[in-house]
Amino acid sequence: APRAWRNHQRWAAIDAMASEVARDAGPVAAQSLPDDTDLMLELALDRRIARGGPASSGRWLVTSVGASPTDGYSRFRDFGDLTLWRRYAESPTSATRHRKRHSRPP
């Protein structure tokens, strides 16, 4: 019963997260989620998610709060005990500026 109660309490966060993802739909991956959260997320999104880590082209990544995502993701927002991460596509201009700022002189 405690597990069912925790999952029940998680629905508000799952629904809010699904609404946010629906605004800018793209592939969703899950990494290090508690209990049946990945299944709940699939139900709320009405589509499958990649489990075990981010898909190579995944726009969204869902983790437990405190988990570290794969490089390339920026923290978007926390939803209860879950964190939603987003991968932002870099334009060629911004990627060049980023490299110039963070490169070391020869």
Side-chain angles (χ1 to χ4, degrees), residues 27-77:
V28 179
Q31 175 181 308
S32 306
L33 294 181
D35 299 327
D36 297 323
T37 306
D38 54 343
L39 299 173
M40 297 167 69
L41 190 56
E42 284 185 338
L43 184 63
L45 290 169
D46 194 29
R47 60 184 157 137
R48 297 187 70 78
I49 60 173
R51 290 177 175 79
S56 59
S57 62
R59 179 171 301 162
W60 299 101
L61 175 65
V62 181
T63 67
S64 295
V65 167
S68 297
T70 304
D71 288 341
Y73 285 91
S74 298
R75 185 174 174 193
F76 186 78
R77 184 174 160 204

Side-chain angles (χ1 to χ4, degrees), residues 25 41 61 66 72 81 87 96 98:
L41 190 56
L61 175 65
D81 62 348
R87 178 178 285 164
T96 302
H98 178 77

